Amino acid sequence: MFESNSGQFVDEVIVISGASRGLGRATAEAFANHGGTVVVNYRTNREAAAETVARVEEASSPATGRAVQADMTDPDDIDDLFEEVEREFDAVDVFVHNAAVTRFKPLSEVTMKDISLTFGLSVNGFILATQRAIDLMDSGGRIISVSGAMSYMPYNGLLDSAKSAMEQLTRYFAIEHADDNINANAIRPGVLAKEDNYFTELDDETREFIEFLVEKTPKKRAGELDEVAAVVLMLASDEAEWITGEVIDVNGGLSAYMDYH
């Protein structure tokens, strides 16, 4: 669909939460490679966000980048983020909610802080940020939420539940704003190969399970970040006008395998 440096997103403003590294960074670079102006949201890692902006600005002209700090669990920070975007760029064309955080624990051990942290970002933060993005989509736009719910992964009850709620919220945004020429979709990546993958911070048992998932993936490998970013670009493109309210698995066939077995 996209030729190299196609300019598909020239004159479009893309806001990506959690874009300082990992999939958020790869998505920022992908939009920049096609001319987009990318707002790189980060919570604490200013240095990593600056690196993402540098990569964005190394892309094809006229791509530009701007790092904006905001804690996407904080309503005031969310307001500040979009107020800055409005002052600088006037409008938003694409909002990608990529930021996520959780605590991997059995549900019998989670605390109120763990619950607030996880749902505060993937549910509360998603709703509030999407509301603000939609307010700035004067002539339509795209909402893309990054899920990744894995109901078969150990100790993932909090994040899985929050992401599942986000998927349903995405569907409702799609229904409620179809008349505004706004499409909303979610993607659900599988196991990704990346250096800063938070799965590496888990215990040996869970890491072994992740390796099992990769083994059972029909494609027989973990996904690459740019492969998932390409799907985000597709959903943001003009060619995806007829796709809205969907949750798209991007996992090398893993969900099909799990459903079958």
Side-chain angles (χ1 to χ4, degrees), residues 185-238:
N185 293 285
I187 64 167
R188 189 187 290 151
V191 180
L192 299 178
K194 55 182 181 177
E195 291 182 3
D196 59 347
N197 193 332
Y198 59 82
F199 288 138
T200 61
E201 301 172 6
L202 301 177
D203 57 49
D204 290 342
E205 177 186 358
T206 307
R207 282 201 300 273
E208 288 174 5
F209 187 78
I210 297 300
E211 292 171 2
F212 165 81
L213 292 180
V214 173
E215 180 183 319
K216 295 303 180 183
T217 297
K219 287 288 189 177
K220 300 300 181 186
R221 63 176 176 84
E224 298 295 334
L225 295 175
D226 58 359
E227 291 177 310
V228 179
V231 179
V232 176
L233 260 66
M234 181 274 292
L235 291 172
S237 71
D238 294 339

